[in-house]
Amino acid sequence: MRIGFDAKRIFHNSTGLGNYGRDVVRILNSRNDISHFFLFNTKKSNRENAVPMDKATIVFPKGWLWKKIPSLWRLLGQWKQINENNLDLYHGLSGEIPYSFKTNRVPRVVTIHDLIFLSHPHYYNLWDRIIYKLKFRYACRISDHIIAISEQTKKEIVKYFKIDPNKISVVYQGCHALFKTAMASSKKLEVKTKYNLPESYVLYVGTLQDRKNALNLIKAIHGTQQHVVLVGKEKKYAQKLYAYVKQYQLQSQVTFIKDANLEQLVAIYQDATVFCYPSFCEGFGIPIIEALYSRVPVITTKDGCFPEAAGPNSIYIDPNDPVDIRNQIEKLFDDPEERAKIAAKGYDYVQRFSDEKVAQNLMEVYQKVL
């Protein structure tokens, strides 16, 4: 099987959508029934070794116009090169399929990660909502099959785009293999020393932006003895967090980390006492999977996609209520046996997101389309 991927995010995005694309290629690379990958990339990148390249070809724009405006090539110009490479299937990994002016013979699959711009539009400006809706709706309608990364996302595709649910398969995501391997004690101590982390702490991992709700987590530990570690890129919303920490003199209880590499992140997870993810909305919630593989008990939002990711034994809270978040954190810190039990059950649950199961589910979609 010769598969083409929209690979812009693989080579130019360091987090969510990029991680998804890199994991798909990595997971499928060992499959004997896939002979070659064609990675359609807008321009050169220093991430070209981020995926296995033993049976992959990177496809760049051809022609002066497409090279000059690669974003336009990604939208309008890819089909000629898709057809030239005799693909068996093309997979849009991040909600987009190139616009086609004529019927093309290559079957199409698209992954939709979330429709938060429709379900929670106040987090997006008007122009972004218009563009995303046009792109995603077109991709859903033109594709032969749709992959939703959660049941929650599948429901929203049906609701907002009126797509037949039989055209949609839920294929959950996994996470990087490093999270599944115990980190050496010396490495964890090195990372703990580098970031001056306390012996025990509540961990949050994710971009510091409004919808991920880190402020209510900081409010939850205000007035307690607990320490929270926030790992992630900072958006404008982060200034609210810094202002709250300064106002209530919580500098000794809050650590911000925005430069951790993958190994350091794994060490931070594995040394955490509790993982708390009070996000208002997600497509799935990969940090939850990373925490479960790290054998850390999870506290997260009670509605939406979060129970799909965290499973029946994690702790669920109202993300709007810092008191509820505080109470659940304090309960876990006060009961080491309960923490260990929840972590063990969470680790058992997360095995359903193993590389083998993700690969099997992806291949079932591809075979269905072919």
Side-chain angles (χ1 to χ4, degrees):
M1 189 184 301
R2 296 161 62 87
I3 303 178
F5 289 118
D6 170 18
K8 177 186 175 182
R9 306 286 185 178
I10 289 176
F11 296 117
H12 302 283
N13 187 313
S14 62
T15 56
L17 296 179
N19 287 336
Y20 173 75
R22 289 185 287 273
D23 270 353
V24 167
V25 175
R26 176 182 60 81
I27 288 168
L28 294 180
N29 187 64
S30 60
R31 300 278 307 200
N32 293 327
D33 44 2
I34 297 180
S35 59
H36 209 81
F37 299 109
F38 294 85
L39 307 177
F40 289 79
N41 184 17
T42 50
K43 58 186 178 181
K44 296 288 289 182
S45 162
N46 59 9
R47 295 182 186 275
E48 289 180 8
N49 293 321
V51 292
M53 294 300 296
D54 50 300
K55 52 182 179 181
T57 298
I58 300 177
V59 182
F60 293 106
K62 289 199 305 188
W64 71 268
L65 176 61
W66 304 134
K67 290 179 181 179
K68 188 75 173 177
I69 317 176
S71 58
L72 191 63
W73 170 80
R74 185 166 177 256
L75 177 66
L76 301 173
Q78 281 189 50
W79 275 109
K80 182 177 180 182
Q81 287 170 259
I82 290 172
N83 288 327
E84 286 175 353
N85 284 291
N86 298 314
L87 301 184
D88 294 301
L89 182 142
Y90 180 89
H91 185 171
L93 294 168
S94 54
E96 299 176 60
I97 294 289
Y99 187 82
S100 177
F101 292 102
K102 62 182 180 179
T103 302
N104 290 281
R105 60 176 177 75
V106 179
R108 290 154 285 205
V109 172
V110 69
T111 295
I112 301 295
H113 296 263
D114 64 71
L115 296 181
I116 294 172
F117 63 93
L118 294 174
S119 63
H120 296 75
H122 52 287
Y123 293 124
Y124 296 82
N125 65 52
L126 176 61
W127 181 244
D128 282 344
R129 296 202 305 270
I130 291 170
I131 294 298
Y132 293 156
K133 185 174 182 179
L134 289 172
K135 286 183 176 182
F136 286 22
R137 184 171 58 186
Y138 172 78
C140 287
R141 291 181 176 176
I142 201 68
S143 293
D144 296 285
H145 204 78
I146 300 164
I147 290 173
I149 65 166
S150 66
E151 291 289 349
Q152 177 70 23
T153 296
K154 179 176 179 177
K155 289 175 186 175
E156 292 183 352
I157 295 169
V158 173
K159 175 181 177 180
Y160 291 109
F161 294 153
K162 313 303 179 189
I163 300 294
D164 181 351
N166 293 318
K167 188 181 176 181
I168 309 168
S169 295
V170 175
V171 177
Y172 292 116
Q173 298 173 253
C175 68
H176 197 281
L178 272 181
F179 291 98
K180 306 168 189 178
T181 305
M183 184 70 69
S185 298
S186 58
K187 181 64 178 180
K188 288 193 285 189
L189 179 59
E190 175 189 321
V191 173
K192 182 171 281 188
T193 302
K194 173 181 171 64
Y195 293 110
N196 193 28
L197 301 181
E199 188 61 31
S200 61
Y201 53 87
V202 181
L203 176 63
Y204 162 96
V205 176
T207 303
L208 300 181
Q209 59 187 33
D210 296 52
R211 68 178 175 86
K212 293 183 183 287
N213 192 33
L215 180 57
N216 275 351
L217 176 54
I218 296 176
K219 289 180 178 180
I221 62 100
H222 183 193
T224 74
Q225 299 299 310
Q226 310 309 339
H227 191 105
V228 65
V229 176
L230 306 172
V231 183
K233 293 192 303 183
E234 297 182 359
K235 301 287 188 178
K236 186 178 179 181
Y237 170 80
Q239 297 309 310
K240 294 182 181 179
L241 310 185
Y242 283 109
Y244 187 91
V245 168
K246 181 178 180 181
Q247 179 180 355
Y248 293 100
Q249 299 181 351
L250 297 175
Q251 291 89 344
S252 65
Q253 287 182 258
V254 182
T255 298
F256 293 89
I257 299 176
K258 53 187 175 182
D259 64 342
N261 62 31
L262 181 60
E263 276 196 344
Q264 292 165 341
L265 178 61
V266 171
I268 293 167
Y269 265 110
Q270 293 185 8
D271 249 358
T273 309
V274 171
F275 180 79
C276 189
Y277 199 64
S279 177
F280 291 122
C281 52
E282 298 287 338
F284 184 48
I286 289 300
I288 293 172
I289 304 302
E290 295 168 347
L292 293 176
Y293 268 117
S294 302
R295 300 177 189 262
V296 180
V298 168
I299 298 172
T300 190
T301 301
K302 63 185 178 180
D303 298 316
C305 67
F306 302 99
E308 291 182 67
N313 298 111
S314 293
I315 304 298
Y316 293 97
I317 47 86
D318 177 355
N320 292 292
D321 186 355
V323 175
D324 186 19
I325 300 170
R326 176 186 305 135
N327 289 341
Q328 298 306 326
I329 289 172
E330 293 279 58
K331 282 181 184 179
L332 287 184
F333 269 84
D334 290 342
D335 193 341
E337 289 186 7
E338 182 67 9
R339 288 204 310 269
K341 184 172 73 173
I342 291 172
K345 290 182 176 179
Y347 184 76
D348 289 341
Y349 176 81
V350 81
Q351 302 310 311
R352 69 190 57 205
F353 308 121
S354 68
D355 287 356
E356 294 75 19
K357 291 187 177 179
V358 173
Q360 177 185 340
N361 292 335
L362 283 169
M363 291 306 300
E364 285 175 1
V365 171
Y366 294 166
Q367 296 294 349
K368 182 184 297 186
V369 169
L370 294 175

